[in-house]
Amino acid sequence: MDLHDELPPAVPAKELLALAEDHHARAARPLGVREAAGHLVKVYALEAPGRTVTESAAGEALRVAAGHLALGALRGSLGLAVVLVHAGGDGDYLLVHTWIEGHMSDLAVFTGPAGRPQELRPGRAGLAPCVWEAAVLAHERDAFARHVLDGTGPLGERLAAWGADTVEGNVR
């Protein structure tokens, strides 16, 4: 198939081009490393244009994340997690990404109406990170491999390096 002449029937050119035209940067900023449910948690704010993650919203999101992380031992958790508090364009999102046994990870996505973090609830089955969330998680995958898996020295030093390795600024 020559993609210059013909696209597969399931590829909606008009919709894809409209999505590309609307694509923009979102601000990512680290909110520090905290402890929740016995886990070391690296917390990020991710903000759509015109939206802000407040300290109150981050605290509520971390409370929800702690409830999820409390079951970590049942999912093979290794005690390290990344939490993304996303003030999105169409609502609020919370992602709880946990490193688990066997070089794998566990992801929980919570959704809620904009500006009402107390209403965050588990997202629908199959919901995955959006392009901006995936950008932060890609950085976190690399930071985990670089500092924890491939690092040298005592574990405390590796974890400190992992905690300090953050992404900040615009992500696309």
mmCIF file of all heavy atoms in Angstrom, residues 2-55:
data_model
loop_
_atom_site.group_PDB
_atom_site.id
_atom_site.type_symbol
_atom_site.label_atom_id
_atom_site.label_comp_id
_atom_site.label_asym_id
_atom_site.label_seq_id
_atom_site.Cartn_x
_atom_site.Cartn_y
_atom_site.Cartn_z
ATOM 1 N N ASP A 2 0.630 2.130 -0.920
ATOM 2 C CA ASP A 2 1.356 3.397 -0.990
ATOM 3 C C ASP A 2 0.573 4.435 -0.191
ATOM 4 O O ASP A 2 -0.498 4.877 -0.606
ATOM 5 C CB ASP A 2 1.511 3.833 -2.440
ATOM 6 C CG ASP A 2 2.331 5.102 -2.570
ATOM 7 O OD1 ASP A 2 2.694 5.699 -1.532
ATOM 8 O OD2 ASP A 2 2.607 5.494 -3.715
ATOM 9 N N LEU A 3 1.109 4.810 0.981
ATOM 10 C CA LEU A 3 0.397 5.738 1.863
ATOM 11 C C LEU A 3 0.293 7.144 1.276
ATOM 12 O O LEU A 3 -0.491 7.955 1.768
ATOM 13 C CB LEU A 3 1.061 5.775 3.234
ATOM 14 C CG LEU A 3 1.010 4.459 4.013
ATOM 15 C CD1 LEU A 3 1.710 4.610 5.350
ATOM 16 C CD2 LEU A 3 -0.420 3.996 4.208
ATOM 17 N N HIS A 4 1.041 7.437 0.213
ATOM 18 C CA HIS A 4 0.919 8.733 -0.448
ATOM 19 C C HIS A 4 -0.358 8.803 -1.275
ATOM 20 O O HIS A 4 -0.899 9.892 -1.506
ATOM 21 C CB HIS A 4 2.134 9.003 -1.335
ATOM 22 C CG HIS A 4 3.410 9.116 -0.566
ATOM 23 N ND1 HIS A 4 3.723 10.220 0.185
ATOM 24 C CD2 HIS A 4 4.438 8.251 -0.411
ATOM 25 C CE1 HIS A 4 4.901 10.048 0.761
ATOM 26 N NE2 HIS A 4 5.354 8.847 0.426
ATOM 27 N N ASP A 5 -0.845 7.657 -1.715
ATOM 28 C CA ASP A 5 -2.029 7.612 -2.566
ATOM 29 C C ASP A 5 -3.289 7.152 -1.847
ATOM 30 O O ASP A 5 -4.394 7.546 -2.211
ATOM 31 C CB ASP A 5 -1.800 6.658 -3.754
ATOM 32 C CG ASP A 5 -0.697 7.154 -4.674
ATOM 33 O OD1 ASP A 5 -0.523 8.386 -4.796
ATOM 34 O OD2 ASP A 5 0.002 6.307 -5.251
ATOM 35 N N GLU A 6 -3.120 6.293 -0.836
ATOM 36 C CA GLU A 6 -4.288 5.668 -0.217
ATOM 37 C C GLU A 6 -4.009 5.329 1.241
ATOM 38 O O GLU A 6 -2.930 4.852 1.585
ATOM 39 C CB GLU A 6 -4.602 4.379 -1.002
ATOM 40 C CG GLU A 6 -5.727 3.571 -0.451
ATOM 41 C CD GLU A 6 -5.904 2.251 -1.201
ATOM 42 O OE1 GLU A 6 -5.070 1.910 -2.053
ATOM 43 O OE2 GLU A 6 -6.883 1.568 -0.897
ATOM 44 N N LEU A 7 -4.981 5.603 2.094
ATOM 45 C CA LEU A 7 -4.880 5.249 3.511
ATOM 46 C C LEU A 7 -5.792 4.064 3.791
ATOM 47 O O LEU A 7 -6.826 3.900 3.131
ATOM 48 C CB LEU A 7 -5.311 6.427 4.384
ATOM 49 C CG LEU A 7 -4.446 7.683 4.308
ATOM 50 C CD1 LEU A 7 -5.063 8.802 5.128
ATOM 51 C CD2 LEU A 7 -3.043 7.389 4.777
ATOM 52 N N PRO A 8 -5.451 3.251 4.769
ATOM 53 C CA PRO A 8 -6.356 2.165 5.146
ATOM 54 C C PRO A 8 -7.717 2.745 5.566
ATOM 55 O O PRO A 8 -7.798 3.865 6.072
ATOM 56 C CB PRO A 8 -5.650 1.509 6.336
ATOM 57 C CG PRO A 8 -4.217 1.886 6.189
ATOM 58 C CD PRO A 8 -4.224 3.245 5.554
ATOM 59 N N PRO A 9 -8.781 2.010 5.388
ATOM 60 C CA PRO A 9 -10.122 2.526 5.657
ATOM 61 C C PRO A 9 -10.345 2.985 7.108
ATOM 62 O O PRO A 9 -11.155 3.876 7.358
ATOM 63 C CB PRO A 9 -11.055 1.360 5.323
ATOM 64 C CG PRO A 9 -10.228 0.327 4.661
ATOM 65 C CD PRO A 9 -8.796 0.664 4.841
ATOM 66 N N ALA A 10 -9.624 2.422 8.042
ATOM 67 C CA ALA A 10 -9.829 2.787 9.448
ATOM 68 C C ALA A 10 -9.061 4.042 9.856
ATOM 69 O O ALA A 10 -9.158 4.473 11.006
ATOM 70 C CB ALA A 10 -9.443 1.618 10.354
ATOM 71 N N VAL A 11 -8.301 4.638 8.949
ATOM 72 C CA VAL A 11 -7.521 5.835 9.264
ATOM 73 C C VAL A 11 -8.311 7.055 8.806
ATOM 74 O O VAL A 11 -8.396 7.338 7.606
ATOM 75 C CB VAL A 11 -6.137 5.804 8.582
ATOM 76 C CG1 VAL A 11 -5.366 7.089 8.862
ATOM 77 C CG2 VAL A 11 -5.346 4.596 9.058
ATOM 78 N N PRO A 12 -8.900 7.795 9.751
ATOM 79 C CA PRO A 12 -9.714 8.971 9.392
ATOM 80 C C PRO A 12 -8.830 10.216 9.202
ATOM 81 O O PRO A 12 -8.511 10.923 10.160
ATOM 82 C CB PRO A 12 -10.650 9.125 10.588
ATOM 83 C CG PRO A 12 -9.829 8.623 11.744
ATOM 84 C CD PRO A 12 -8.959 7.522 11.179
ATOM 85 N N ALA A 13 -8.448 10.498 7.993
ATOM 86 C CA ALA A 13 -7.514 11.586 7.699
ATOM 87 C C ALA A 13 -8.006 12.912 8.267
ATOM 88 O O ALA A 13 -7.235 13.646 8.901
ATOM 89 C CB ALA A 13 -7.290 11.692 6.193
ATOM 90 N N LYS A 14 -9.256 13.242 8.064
ATOM 91 C CA LYS A 14 -9.798 14.535 8.524
ATOM 92 C C LYS A 14 -9.666 14.664 10.042
ATOM 93 O O LYS A 14 -9.210 15.690 10.557
ATOM 94 C CB LYS A 14 -11.252 14.658 8.097
ATOM 95 C CG LYS A 14 -11.912 15.944 8.501
ATOM 96 C CD LYS A 14 -13.356 15.986 8.029
ATOM 97 C CE LYS A 14 -14.072 17.190 8.588
ATOM 98 N NZ LYS A 14 -15.492 17.190 8.210
ATOM 99 N N GLU A 15 -10.031 13.613 10.762
ATOM 100 C CA GLU A 15 -9.976 13.644 12.219
ATOM 101 C C GLU A 15 -8.542 13.693 12.732
ATOM 102 O O GLU A 15 -8.233 14.401 13.680
ATOM 103 C CB GLU A 15 -10.727 12.447 12.818
ATOM 104 C CG GLU A 15 -12.225 12.528 12.666
ATOM 105 C CD GLU A 15 -12.742 12.028 11.313
ATOM 106 O OE1 GLU A 15 -11.921 11.753 10.404
ATOM 107 O OE2 GLU A 15 -13.965 11.929 11.160
ATOM 108 N N LEU A 16 -7.644 12.936 12.103
ATOM 109 C CA LEU A 16 -6.239 12.947 12.519
ATOM 110 C C LEU A 16 -5.603 14.313 12.285
ATOM 111 O O LEU A 16 -4.859 14.821 13.126
ATOM 112 C CB LEU A 16 -5.457 11.876 11.775
ATOM 113 C CG LEU A 16 -5.454 10.485 12.393
ATOM 114 C CD1 LEU A 16 -4.754 9.500 11.477
ATOM 115 C CD2 LEU A 16 -4.807 10.495 13.749
ATOM 116 N N LEU A 17 -5.906 14.914 11.154
ATOM 117 C CA LEU A 17 -5.350 16.235 10.866
ATOM 118 C C LEU A 17 -5.919 17.297 11.805
ATOM 119 O O LEU A 17 -5.195 18.208 12.228
ATOM 120 C CB LEU A 17 -5.581 16.598 9.402
ATOM 121 C CG LEU A 17 -4.770 15.759 8.411
ATOM 122 C CD1 LEU A 17 -5.201 16.050 6.977
ATOM 123 C CD2 LEU A 17 -3.284 15.987 8.596
ATOM 124 N N ALA A 18 -7.191 17.182 12.165
ATOM 125 C CA ALA A 18 -7.785 18.124 13.128
ATOM 126 C C ALA A 18 -7.124 17.963 14.494
ATOM 127 O O ALA A 18 -6.859 18.955 15.189
ATOM 128 C CB ALA A 18 -9.291 17.902 13.220
ATOM 129 N N LEU A 19 -6.857 16.734 14.897
ATOM 130 C CA LEU A 19 -6.180 16.473 16.163
ATOM 131 C C LEU A 19 -4.776 17.073 16.143
ATOM 132 O O LEU A 19 -4.350 17.719 17.108
ATOM 133 C CB LEU A 19 -6.126 14.964 16.413
ATOM 134 C CG LEU A 19 -5.703 14.476 17.777
ATOM 135 C CD1 LEU A 19 -6.687 14.918 18.847
ATOM 136 C CD2 LEU A 19 -5.597 12.955 17.771
ATOM 137 N N ALA A 20 -4.064 16.889 15.041
ATOM 138 C CA ALA A 20 -2.710 17.438 14.919
ATOM 139 C C ALA A 20 -2.741 18.964 14.976
ATOM 140 O O ALA A 20 -1.886 19.595 15.605
ATOM 141 C CB ALA A 20 -2.071 16.967 13.616
ATOM 142 N N GLU A 21 -3.717 19.573 14.353
ATOM 143 C CA GLU A 21 -3.815 21.032 14.360
ATOM 144 C C GLU A 21 -4.084 21.576 15.759
ATOM 145 O O GLU A 21 -3.631 22.657 16.115
ATOM 146 C CB GLU A 21 -4.919 21.485 13.403
ATOM 147 C CG GLU A 21 -4.941 22.973 13.186
ATOM 148 C CD GLU A 21 -5.860 23.367 12.050
ATOM 149 O OE1 GLU A 21 -5.703 22.837 10.937
ATOM 150 O OE2 GLU A 21 -6.737 24.215 12.297
ATOM 151 N N ASP A 22 -4.807 20.815 16.565
ATOM 152 C CA ASP A 22 -5.153 21.246 17.929
ATOM 153 C C ASP A 22 -4.072 20.880 18.953
ATOM 154 O O ASP A 22 -4.154 21.284 20.099
ATOM 155 C CB ASP A 22 -6.495 20.613 18.340
ATOM 156 C CG ASP A 22 -7.012 21.146 19.649
ATOM 157 O OD1 ASP A 22 -6.990 22.377 19.860
ATOM 158 O OD2 ASP A 22 -7.429 20.322 20.494
ATOM 159 N N HIS A 23 -3.062 20.119 18.542
ATOM 160 C CA HIS A 23 -2.028 19.669 19.482
ATOM 161 C C HIS A 23 -1.236 20.865 20.016
ATOM 162 O O HIS A 23 -0.911 21.790 19.273
ATOM 163 C CB HIS A 23 -1.093 18.667 18.817
ATOM 164 C CG HIS A 23 -0.135 18.032 19.760
ATOM 165 N ND1 HIS A 23 -0.541 17.260 20.823
ATOM 166 C CD2 HIS A 23 1.207 18.069 19.817
ATOM 167 C CE1 HIS A 23 0.516 16.848 21.490
ATOM 168 N NE2 HIS A 23 1.598 17.328 20.904
ATOM 169 N N HIS A 24 -0.943 20.842 21.303
ATOM 170 C CA HIS A 24 -0.271 21.960 21.965
ATOM 171 C C HIS A 24 0.577 21.432 23.117
ATOM 172 O O HIS A 24 0.474 20.268 23.485
ATOM 173 C CB HIS A 24 -1.303 22.965 22.494
ATOM 174 C CG HIS A 24 -2.283 22.334 23.427
ATOM 175 N ND1 HIS A 24 -3.428 21.686 22.982
ATOM 176 C CD2 HIS A 24 -2.297 22.210 24.775
ATOM 177 C CE1 HIS A 24 -4.101 21.208 24.019
ATOM 178 N NE2 HIS A 24 -3.433 21.505 25.128
ATOM 179 N N ALA A 25 1.371 22.301 23.665
ATOM 180 C CA ALA A 25 2.199 21.936 24.814
ATOM 181 C C ALA A 25 1.384 22.037 26.097
ATOM 182 O O ALA A 25 0.450 22.835 26.192
ATOM 183 C CB ALA A 25 3.414 22.854 24.900
ATOM 184 N N ARG A 26 1.743 21.234 27.057
ATOM 185 C CA ARG A 26 1.176 21.327 28.407
ATOM 186 C C ARG A 26 2.329 21.417 29.396
ATOM 187 O O ARG A 26 3.375 20.806 29.201
ATOM 188 C CB ARG A 26 0.295 20.126 28.733
ATOM 189 C CG ARG A 26 -0.954 20.123 27.862
ATOM 190 C CD ARG A 26 -2.115 19.447 28.468
ATOM 191 N NE ARG A 26 -3.275 19.674 27.606
ATOM 192 C CZ ARG A 26 -4.411 19.044 27.728
ATOM 193 N NH1 ARG A 26 -4.554 18.128 28.669
ATOM 194 N NH2 ARG A 26 -5.411 19.309 26.926
ATOM 195 N N ALA A 27 2.099 22.166 30.454
ATOM 196 C CA ALA A 27 3.136 22.373 31.461
ATOM 197 C C ALA A 27 3.193 21.195 32.424
ATOM 198 O O ALA A 27 2.169 20.768 32.964
ATOM 199 C CB ALA A 27 2.856 23.658 32.240
ATOM 200 N N ALA A 28 4.403 20.694 32.632
ATOM 201 C CA ALA A 28 4.654 19.636 33.619
ATOM 202 C C ALA A 28 5.587 20.217 34.667
ATOM 203 O O ALA A 28 6.556 20.904 34.334
ATOM 204 C CB ALA A 28 5.290 18.423 32.964
ATOM 205 N N ARG A 29 5.286 19.943 35.937
ATOM 206 C CA ARG A 29 6.191 20.389 37.001
ATOM 207 C C ARG A 29 6.190 19.368 38.125
ATOM 208 O O ARG A 29 5.151 18.824 38.495
ATOM 209 C CB ARG A 29 5.839 21.776 37.504
ATOM 210 C CG ARG A 29 4.483 21.935 38.079
ATOM 211 C CD ARG A 29 4.163 23.415 38.393
ATOM 212 N NE ARG A 29 2.764 23.567 38.663
ATOM 213 C CZ ARG A 29 2.202 23.455 39.861
ATOM 214 N NH1 ARG A 29 2.954 23.195 40.921
ATOM 215 N NH2 ARG A 29 0.897 23.598 40.016
ATOM 216 N N PRO A 30 7.378 19.093 38.647
ATOM 217 C CA PRO A 30 7.469 18.141 39.760
ATOM 218 C C PRO A 30 6.965 18.776 41.049
ATOM 219 O O PRO A 30 7.161 19.968 41.291
ATOM 220 C CB PRO A 30 8.962 17.842 39.837
ATOM 221 C CG PRO A 30 9.631 19.021 39.220
ATOM 222 C CD PRO A 30 8.682 19.585 38.209
ATOM 223 N N LEU A 31 6.298 17.962 41.859
ATOM 224 C CA LEU A 31 5.790 18.406 43.157
ATOM 225 C C LEU A 31 6.519 17.714 44.304
ATOM 226 O O LEU A 31 6.070 17.749 45.436
ATOM 227 C CB LEU A 31 4.280 18.148 43.257
ATOM 228 C CG LEU A 31 3.416 18.887 42.231
ATOM 229 C CD1 LEU A 31 1.949 18.509 42.405
ATOM 230 C CD2 LEU A 31 3.606 20.390 42.305
ATOM 231 N N GLY A 32 7.626 17.065 44.003
ATOM 232 C CA GLY A 32 8.448 16.452 45.039
ATOM 233 C C GLY A 32 8.202 14.963 45.196
ATOM 234 O O GLY A 32 7.314 14.383 44.589
ATOM 235 N N VAL A 33 9.041 14.381 46.019
ATOM 236 C CA VAL A 33 8.914 12.968 46.364
ATOM 237 C C VAL A 33 8.290 12.904 47.748
ATOM 238 O O VAL A 33 8.734 13.574 48.673
ATOM 239 C CB VAL A 33 10.278 12.248 46.341
ATOM 240 C CG1 VAL A 33 10.132 10.802 46.777
ATOM 241 C CG2 VAL A 33 10.893 12.331 44.948
ATOM 242 N N ARG A 34 7.245 12.130 47.855
ATOM 243 C CA ARG A 34 6.518 12.011 49.117
ATOM 244 C C ARG A 34 6.363 10.532 49.458
ATOM 245 O O ARG A 34 6.665 9.659 48.652
ATOM 246 C CB ARG A 34 5.146 12.676 48.996
ATOM 247 C CG ARG A 34 5.264 14.122 48.517
ATOM 248 C CD ARG A 34 3.938 14.774 48.359
ATOM 249 N NE ARG A 34 4.085 16.067 47.690
ATOM 250 C CZ ARG A 34 3.129 16.930 47.603
ATOM 251 N NH1 ARG A 34 1.956 16.703 48.129
ATOM 252 N NH2 ARG A 34 3.320 18.083 46.967
ATOM 253 N N GLU A 35 5.860 10.282 50.632
ATOM 254 C CA GLU A 35 5.555 8.903 51.020
ATOM 255 C C GLU A 35 4.046 8.760 51.089
ATOM 256 O O GLU A 35 3.349 9.620 51.619
ATOM 257 C CB GLU A 35 6.181 8.561 52.365
ATOM 258 C CG GLU A 35 6.012 7.096 52.705
ATOM 259 C CD GLU A 35 6.708 6.672 53.982
ATOM 260 O OE1 GLU A 35 7.698 7.322 54.362
ATOM 261 O OE2 GLU A 35 6.238 5.703 54.593
ATOM 262 N N ALA A 36 3.553 7.671 50.519
ATOM 263 C CA ALA A 36 2.116 7.371 50.568
ATOM 264 C C ALA A 36 1.958 5.864 50.638
ATOM 265 O O ALA A 36 2.516 5.141 49.809
ATOM 266 C CB ALA A 36 1.398 7.931 49.345
ATOM 267 N N ALA A 37 1.233 5.397 51.614
ATOM 268 C CA ALA A 37 0.965 3.967 51.792
ATOM 269 C C ALA A 37 2.265 3.154 51.757
ATOM 270 O O ALA A 37 2.325 2.075 51.174
ATOM 271 C CB ALA A 37 -0.033 3.457 50.750
ATOM 272 N N GLY A 38 3.327 3.682 52.353
ATOM 273 C CA GLY A 38 4.601 2.990 52.424
ATOM 274 C C GLY A 38 5.429 3.043 51.153
ATOM 275 O O GLY A 38 6.481 2.421 51.079
ATOM 276 N N HIS A 39 4.967 3.756 50.143
ATOM 277 C CA HIS A 39 5.671 3.879 48.866
ATOM 278 C C HIS A 39 6.406 5.212 48.786
ATOM 279 O O HIS A 39 5.939 6.215 49.325
ATOM 280 C CB HIS A 39 4.676 3.831 47.702
ATOM 281 C CG HIS A 39 4.106 2.495 47.427
ATOM 282 N ND1 HIS A 39 3.257 1.837 48.300
ATOM 283 C CD2 HIS A 39 4.252 1.680 46.358
ATOM 284 C CE1 HIS A 39 2.909 0.679 47.774
ATOM 285 N NE2 HIS A 39 3.503 0.553 46.610
ATOM 286 N N LEU A 40 7.543 5.222 48.074
ATOM 287 C CA LEU A 40 8.151 6.480 47.652
ATOM 288 C C LEU A 40 7.420 6.897 46.389
ATOM 289 O O LEU A 40 7.347 6.130 45.423
ATOM 290 C CB LEU A 40 9.630 6.293 47.328
ATOM 291 C CG LEU A 40 10.592 6.221 48.494
ATOM 292 C CD1 LEU A 40 12.006 5.998 47.992
ATOM 293 C CD2 LEU A 40 10.521 7.483 49.320
ATOM 294 N N VAL A 41 6.860 8.103 46.403
ATOM 295 C CA VAL A 41 6.009 8.558 45.307
ATOM 296 C C VAL A 41 6.556 9.860 44.745
ATOM 297 O O VAL A 41 6.648 10.860 45.459
ATOM 298 C CB VAL A 41 4.556 8.763 45.786
ATOM 299 C CG1 VAL A 41 3.666 9.208 44.640
ATOM 300 C CG2 VAL A 41 4.011 7.487 46.425
ATOM 301 N N LYS A 42 6.897 9.840 43.476
ATOM 302 C CA LYS A 42 7.299 11.061 42.774
ATOM 303 C C LYS A 42 6.016 11.661 42.189
ATOM 304 O O LYS A 42 5.324 10.998 41.408
ATOM 305 C CB LYS A 42 8.305 10.734 41.680
ATOM 306 C CG LYS A 42 9.030 11.965 41.152
ATOM 307 C CD LYS A 42 9.935 11.706 39.969
ATOM 308 C CE LYS A 42 11.014 10.711 40.137
ATOM 309 N NZ LYS A 42 11.945 10.665 38.977
ATOM 310 N N VAL A 43 5.727 12.903 42.573
ATOM 311 C CA VAL A 43 4.459 13.533 42.199
ATOM 312 C C VAL A 43 4.702 14.639 41.176
ATOM 313 O O VAL A 43 5.632 15.438 41.322
ATOM 314 C CB VAL A 43 3.745 14.117 43.444
ATOM 315 C CG1 VAL A 43 2.386 14.686 43.068
ATOM 316 C CG2 VAL A 43 3.604 13.055 44.539
ATOM 317 N N TYR A 44 3.846 14.674 40.154
ATOM 318 C CA TYR A 44 3.889 15.703 39.111
ATOM 319 C C TYR A 44 2.536 16.381 38.975
ATOM 320 O O TYR A 44 1.494 15.743 39.134
ATOM 321 C CB TYR A 44 4.182 15.079 37.745
ATOM 322 C CG TYR A 44 5.591 14.677 37.500
ATOM 323 C CD1 TYR A 44 6.014 13.377 37.731
ATOM 324 C CD2 TYR A 44 6.512 15.592 37.000
ATOM 325 C CE1 TYR A 44 7.319 12.996 37.469
ATOM 326 C CE2 TYR A 44 7.820 15.210 36.739
ATOM 327 C CZ TYR A 44 8.212 13.913 36.974
ATOM 328 O OH TYR A 44 9.507 13.536 36.719
ATOM 329 N N ALA A 45 2.579 17.663 38.608
ATOM 330 C CA ALA A 45 1.404 18.385 38.129
ATOM 331 C C ALA A 45 1.538 18.483 36.613
ATOM 332 O O ALA A 45 2.626 18.743 36.094
ATOM 333 C CB ALA A 45 1.338 19.773 38.740
ATOM 334 N N LEU A 46 0.450 18.269 35.917
ATOM 335 C CA LEU A 46 0.389 18.428 34.470
ATOM 336 C C LEU A 46 -0.804 19.327 34.201
ATOM 337 O O LEU A 46 -1.909 19.046 34.685
ATOM 338 C CB LEU A 46 0.233 17.056 33.809
ATOM 339 C CG LEU A 46 0.328 16.967 32.301
ATOM 340 C CD1 LEU A 46 1.658 17.491 31.774
ATOM 341 C CD2 LEU A 46 0.129 15.525 31.851
ATOM 342 N N GLU A 47 -0.592 20.412 33.446
ATOM 343 C CA GLU A 47 -1.632 21.439 33.340
ATOM 344 C C GLU A 47 -1.932 21.821 31.901
ATOM 345 O O GLU A 47 -1.040 22.207 31.148
ATOM 346 C CB GLU A 47 -1.197 22.680 34.121
ATOM 347 C CG GLU A 47 -0.994 22.379 35.597
ATOM 348 C CD GLU A 47 -0.170 23.403 36.347
ATOM 349 O OE1 GLU A 47 0.706 24.063 35.730
ATOM 350 O OE2 GLU A 47 -0.386 23.529 37.564
ATOM 351 N N ALA A 48 -3.217 21.718 31.540
ATOM 352 C CA ALA A 48 -3.681 22.202 30.248
ATOM 353 C C ALA A 48 -3.658 23.722 30.276
ATOM 354 O O ALA A 48 -3.695 24.328 31.358
ATOM 355 C CB ALA A 48 -5.105 21.697 29.978
ATOM 356 N N PRO A 49 -3.596 24.364 29.111
ATOM 357 C CA PRO A 49 -3.628 25.831 29.092
ATOM 358 C C PRO A 49 -4.837 26.362 29.867
ATOM 359 O O PRO A 49 -5.963 25.885 29.692
ATOM 360 C CB PRO A 49 -3.732 26.158 27.604
ATOM 361 C CG PRO A 49 -3.079 24.994 26.918
ATOM 362 C CD PRO A 49 -3.461 23.801 27.763
ATOM 363 N N GLY A 50 -4.566 27.314 30.741
ATOM 364 C CA GLY A 50 -5.630 27.916 31.539
ATOM 365 C C GLY A 50 -6.002 27.151 32.792
ATOM 366 O O GLY A 50 -6.870 27.578 33.546
ATOM 367 N N ARG A 51 -5.396 26.021 33.039
ATOM 368 C CA ARG A 51 -5.691 25.200 34.220
ATOM 369 C C ARG A 51 -4.470 25.156 35.116
ATOM 370 O O ARG A 51 -3.340 25.241 34.652
ATOM 371 C CB ARG A 51 -6.062 23.764 33.834
ATOM 372 C CG ARG A 51 -7.258 23.538 32.950
ATOM 373 C CD ARG A 51 -8.612 23.645 33.649
ATOM 374 N NE ARG A 51 -8.718 23.064 34.966
ATOM 375 C CZ ARG A 51 -8.930 21.766 35.244
ATOM 376 N NH1 ARG A 51 -9.054 20.885 34.275
ATOM 377 N NH2 ARG A 51 -9.029 21.351 36.501
ATOM 378 N N THR A 52 -4.706 24.981 36.418
ATOM 379 C CA THR A 52 -3.624 24.890 37.396
ATOM 380 C C THR A 52 -3.934 23.773 38.385
ATOM 381 O O THR A 52 -5.080 23.621 38.805
ATOM 382 C CB THR A 52 -3.488 26.221 38.174
ATOM 383 O OG1 THR A 52 -3.252 27.267 37.245
ATOM 384 C CG2 THR A 52 -2.346 26.165 39.162
ATOM 385 N N VAL A 53 -2.918 23.020 38.750
ATOM 386 C CA VAL A 53 -3.045 22.034 39.828
ATOM 387 C C VAL A 53 -2.683 22.754 41.124
ATOM 388 O O VAL A 53 -1.550 23.179 41.306
ATOM 389 C CB VAL A 53 -2.109 20.828 39.600
ATOM 390 C CG1 VAL A 53 -2.128 19.896 40.814
ATOM 391 C CG2 VAL A 53 -2.498 20.073 38.334
ATOM 392 N N THR A 54 -3.654 22.901 42.000
ATOM 393 C CA THR A 54 -3.424 23.561 43.286
ATOM 394 C C THR A 54 -2.838 22.569 44.282
ATOM 395 O O THR A 54 -2.927 21.342 44.092
ATOM 396 C CB THR A 54 -4.730 24.131 43.858
ATOM 397 O OG1 THR A 54 -5.611 23.031 44.146
ATOM 398 C CG2 THR A 54 -5.399 25.097 42.881
ATOM 399 N N GLU A 55 -2.270 23.082 45.367
ATOM 400 C CA GLU A 55 -1.746 22.208 46.413
ATOM 401 C C GLU A 55 -2.876 21.381 47.026
ATOM 402 O O GLU A 55 -2.702 20.211 47.346
ATOM 403 C CB GLU A 55 -1.019 23.025 47.479
ATOM 404 C CG GLU A 55 -0.310 22.173 48.506
ATOM 405 C CD GLU A 55 0.742 21.212 47.945
ATOM 406 O OE1 GLU A 55 1.456 21.573 47.006
ATOM 407 O OE2 GLU A 55 0.848 20.073 48.469
#
